[in-house]
Amino acid sequence: MKLVPALVLAALSTACVHREAGPASASGAESTGGGKAVAAPLTIELQPGITPAKPLLGLKRGVNLGNGFDAPSIGAWGVTPSEAHFALAKKAGLDHVRLPVRFNAHALKDAPYTIDAEFFAKIDWAIDAALSRDLYLVLDLHHYEELMTEPAAHEARAIAIWKQVAERYKDRPDKLLFELLNEPCKELNPERLNALHAKLIATVRESNPTRMLIVDGYFWAAANYLESLVVPAADPNIALSFHMYQPILFTHQGAAWMDPEFQSSGIVFPGPPNAPASRSTAAESTDWTRSWLDSYERNPASTNPSSVDAVRREFDIATRVAAKTGRSVYMGEFGAIDFAEPVSRENYLRLVRREAEHRGIAWTLWDDGGRMQGMDVHEGTWIEVVARALLNDQPGGPAPAVTLADPTPSSTAAPTSPAAPVGSAPALDTAAAAE
Ligand code: BGC
């Protein structure tokens, strides 16, 4: 996801090109000097008087298994989902996993748009891997890019995909949730999106009358668009979702999948910094990024765009929508790239995570196994700075040891065909802390 500061949302809605994720690598963009800033550890003071949103079943804390089944083909982006992913999620005391799946890359192009049986078996395996560990699983249709650019041409196919998925999993426990469409954007504007959601919901409801569904707002699930979501009033089992990546120039600095104006580096959280950012040439010549960087370098904390308040403004929208609609609001993704200076990254992840909890919003870390990695399945452990942010409320505490005794990811990878029996999870290190 990617979004731009609220002020320039409208102006940039066509200019902000969100490309696909891919193997993460350094951007190598040309840039000016600077980039040596370091932030101080952030002490978080939560605001009193906030009414929490309605809980989303028992979901509170989770992780995405990104760049696996949502890649163009499994393994193409360096992630092959494995038992170790689920074991590490459980080990950290999480209660759910969000599973992004590019079903559209594994379905026939023409009617009846049949989903490939072998691929489906892998999704069965993933669902079992979560449910057998008593984790909720959010099954998410991810990276259906053609639907974003040609919504009318792909509508029937999207409906047929959900019909098959819904029928296949109709007898699964309520711990399986369906998220209809990740990060709607481009031509799938709010009006078209609401119309499409209505059809997808009706389709899913034929076989799953009460399963919890999640719908994302427009513009890569920007909080600003939560309010334009319209869902059937009589259906209580629909939650509204947003993704949290603001301030985007901090969270996505240098991300290879972003446009050149996102390729500055040395941006800390919170600002102002003790050294200027290293600005990419494109950031310097693009109005909104130059002006953002100027304010970031000059403004005090109270008006700085890289600030606690900037984060809270996003959450305030979510809290307002939760109160107005009486629905659960879900934060299906948040994250910060590992090019960010580590103290800043920890500050940001902890702040977002704690704000969400304070407001009764279930959170799900975006883990892409690359530059936004949380779990390291090869080492059988969580990345230290991420674990600290997610599991310690205050900065400076010891890194929680979230480690598998025997990771052996290669022997526990998703089966080829047919689905392998579950239960082959690696043994866990019983000494590791969960909370
Ligand atoms: C996208 C990924 C991206 C991530 C963070 C996700 O929603 O699917 O492509 O890496 O957001 O930008």
Side-chain angles (χ1 to χ4, degrees):
M1 112 42 326
K2 314 352 2 190
L3 32 144
V4 293
L7 282 178
V8 287
L9 265 182
L12 285 172
S13 53
T14 49
C16 171
V17 183
H18 174 223
R19 46 12 77 196
E20 296 207 350
S25 61
S27 69
E30 230 186 291
S31 59
T32 60
K36 299 277 181 276
V38 180
L42 177 71
T43 302
I44 299 163
E45 282 167 33
L46 298 167
Q47 301 158 299
I50 287 179
T51 308
K54 180 176 156 191
L56 176 55
L57 305 180
L59 287 83
K60 289 195 170 80
R61 343 173 87 202
V63 65
N64 276 276
L65 217 169
N67 285 10
F69 294 133
D70 55 317
S73 60
I74 300 171
W77 287 349
V79 177
T80 300
S82 67
E83 295 280 351
H85 284 96
F86 293 91
L88 275 169
K90 187 74 185 174
K91 188 71 184 174
L94 305 186
D95 50 60
H96 70 274
V97 170
R98 179 171 179 258
L99 192 74
V101 180
R102 195 189 292 232
F103 281 112
N104 45 301
H106 303 273
L108 294 180
K109 297 268 175 279
D110 299 307
Y113 311 108
T114 311
I115 296 173
D116 177 70
E118 254 184 50
F119 185 73
F120 241 153
K122 290 178 184 167
I123 306 308
D124 298 348
W125 162 83
I127 293 172
D128 289 338
L131 298 181
S132 65
R133 293 181 170 86
D134 206 23
L135 292 165
Y136 288 86
L137 188 113
V138 177
L139 183 60
D140 147 49
L141 176 56
H142 206 97
H143 282 313
Y144 197 159
E145 313 296 350
E146 316 88 282
L147 182 62
M148 311 299 167
T149 49
E150 294 180 280
H154 281 268
E155 180 180 290
R157 189 163 182 259
I159 293 172
I161 286 175
W162 266 116
K163 190 171 170 59
Q164 294 169 73
V165 174
E167 281 175 0
R168 186 171 182 109
Y169 300 126
K170 67 182 167 44
D171 296 324
R172 294 300 188 123
D174 295 346
K175 283 202 141 179
L176 173 65
L177 295 83
F178 295 157
E179 183 174 331
L180 299 178
L181 198 55
N182 179 65
E183 297 191 346
C185 56
K186 301 181 181 167
E187 299 307 313
L188 195 53
N189 61 30
E191 197 186 333
R192 292 181 186 139
L193 177 63
N194 286 334
L196 176 63
H197 274 151
K199 291 179 187 169
L200 296 178
I201 291 167
T203 302
V204 171
R205 285 295 178 235
E206 285 167 13
S207 52
N208 292 253
T210 57
R211 185 173 305 285
M212 184 58 77
L213 307 182
I214 296 171
V215 295
D216 292 23
Y218 182 63
F219 211 76
W220 294 276
N224 304 55
Y225 280 94
L226 275 174
E227 268 168 317
S228 36
L229 280 168
V230 178
V231 294
D235 192 331
N237 295 321
I238 302 178
L240 314 177
S241 167
F242 74 109
H243 291 173
M244 178 63 196
Y245 288 111
Q246 294 291 13
I248 188 91
L249 290 184
F250 167 71
T251 61
H252 281 67
Q253 52 190 300
W257 59 94
M258 299 295 282
D259 284 346
E261 64 268 30
F262 292 86
Q263 306 303 328
S264 299
S265 60
I267 300 169
V268 298
F269 185 88
N274 58 359
S278 179
R279 301 184 182 203
S280 71
T281 311
E284 195 51 22
S285 60
T286 303
D287 287 348
W288 78 267
T289 46
R290 187 182 55 252
S291 125
W292 191 94
L293 288 163
D294 288 347
S295 307
Y296 156 74
E297 283 168 6
R298 292 178 201 152
N299 292 11
S302 56
T303 56
N304 199 285
S306 182
S307 63
V308 173
D309 281 356
V311 166
R312 287 199 172 131
R313 279 195 290 277
E314 301 288 302
F315 277 105
D316 285 345
I317 301 172
T319 297
R320 196 168 66 232
V321 169
K324 192 167 136 196
T325 61
R327 294 188 182 273
S328 310
V329 172
Y330 172 53
M331 187 172 73
E333 291 185 18
F334 74 108
I337 198 157
D338 68 358
F339 289 136
E341 175 270 321
V343 176
S344 298
R345 189 168 180 228
E346 185 176 333
N347 285 344
Y348 179 81
L349 294 176
R350 177 179 293 108
L351 174 69
V352 173
R353 189 268 293 175
R354 292 200 62 199
E355 278 294 328
E357 290 173 358
H358 185 53
R359 292 162 188 264
I361 296 173
W363 54 256
T364 317
L365 178 80
W366 177 255
D367 179 341
D368 64 3
R371 302 249 69 118
M372 287 197 175
Q373 187 175 27
M375 303 181 289
D376 181 344
V377 288
H378 303 293
E379 294 295 323
T381 185
W382 275 73
I383 303 295
E384 216 176 288
V385 66
V386 178
R388 257 204 305 267
L390 298 188
L391 305 178
N392 284 356
D393 277 354
Q394 301 302 331
V402 189
T403 304
L404 300 178
D406 170 21
T408 56
S410 52
S411 63
T412 58
T416 43
S417 173
V422 195
S424 50
L428 300 184
D429 167 12
T430 46
E435 252 281 38

